[in-house]
Amino acid sequence: MNLLIINTHQPYPFSEGKLSSAMVGLAQEVAQGKGHNVQTTTMTEPYDVQEEIDKHLWADLVIVQIPVNWMGVPWSFKKYMDEVYTTGMMGALCDGDGRSRDDSSRQYGSGGKLSSRYLLSLTFNAPADAFDDPNQQLFQGKSVDDLMFPMHMNFKFFGMVPLPTFAAFDVMKNPQTEQDLVRFQQHLNQVL
């Protein structure tokens, strides 16, 4: 299997990206240990748009390591999506938005050309109990996947299929790094 692992971490003085790097390293180690081919992309390093499109075409599985910032992805990954995925809409990753003037039954978002899978690996400052509980003030019963709905739709737009999302919680105020890495390894072993 061919895996593309994308580290979306955007460094800040209070967040150097050590956990994201450790999780990417662990995913690479587990995948290669199972005989899979791995390529990586890191938002803090330069990338070539066409090479990134080629990586997506090559990959059977895309793992996206996301430190959730302000309820979404870091700005540098948003820029990556704007550059890479918009260019990919010109025929490489999808056939436009899927609609056709000749066939009105074709729906918006049905033009994806990829059949690969994807895995969102998320790290949150929020504690786990902030989600899936209607009594919580902010998320009001919403799940992690509800929050990441736009990301799921982006990948679905290209025809990709989700694997179960992984999440590490409370990584700044109450870090459980070793346990999170053990859980992530178990998660990877189940899906790879």
Side-chain angles (χ1 to χ4, degrees):
M1 179 168 34
N2 297 331
L3 275 79
L4 169 59
I5 305 171
I6 304 174
N7 183 348
T8 73
H9 181 77
Q10 174 63 44
Y12 295 100
F14 58 87
S15 177
E16 298 173 17
K18 292 178 184 176
L19 179 57
S20 287
S21 291
M23 294 178 84
V24 167
L26 179 60
Q28 188 169 6
E29 179 183 316
V30 169
Q32 289 174 332
K34 292 178 177 281
H36 303 306
N37 303 306
V38 177
Q39 293 188 54
T40 60
T41 297
T42 302
M43 292 303 96
T44 58
E45 298 171 2
Y47 57 83
D48 177 82
V49 169
Q50 187 56 53
E51 286 178 13
E52 294 306 308
I53 290 171
D54 292 342
K55 287 180 184 179
H56 279 77
L57 294 170
W58 168 85
D60 300 304
L61 171 61
V62 177
I63 298 175
V64 188
Q65 174 57 47
I66 302 170
V68 178
N69 290 341
W70 295 109
M71 315 313 153
V73 301
W75 68 266
S76 54
F77 186 57
K78 178 63 171 89
K79 179 179 182 275
Y80 174 97
M81 291 189 299
D82 286 348
E83 293 175 342
V84 174
Y85 297 159
T86 301
T87 302
M89 282 189 62
M90 302 305 172
L93 303 180
C94 65
D95 181 18
D97 67 16
R99 295 179 293 166
S100 165
R101 287 186 173 95
D102 300 328
D103 181 357
S104 62
S105 68
R106 296 208 41 204
Q107 294 182 10
Y108 179 79
S110 64
K113 291 185 174 180
L114 301 179
S115 59
S116 52
R117 298 173 299 153
Y118 71 93
L119 167 65
L120 299 183
S121 173
L122 311 172
T123 58
F124 288 94
N125 180 47
D129 60 7
F131 297 94
D132 302 306
D133 179 353
N135 295 316
Q136 288 290 314
Q137 176 180 334
L138 186 60
F139 298 118
Q140 301 175 339
K142 303 278 190 297
S143 71
V144 165
D145 286 310
D146 290 333
L147 180 64
M148 300 310 292
F149 183 76
M151 284 303 303
H152 287 297
M153 291 302 95
N154 288 336
F155 289 119
K156 187 173 184 176
F157 192 89
F158 294 114
M160 299 172 75
V161 177
L163 290 173
T165 299
F166 176 83
F169 300 98
D170 219 355
V171 300
M172 294 179 72
K173 291 211 173 150
N174 187 26
Q176 304 291 316
T177 305
E178 293 304 317
Q179 294 91 326
D180 288 338
L181 291 171
V182 168
R183 286 189 315 103
F184 188 45
Q185 184 170 4
Q186 292 168 344
H187 191 84
L188 291 167
N189 281 324
Q190 289 174 354
V191 300
L192 293 180

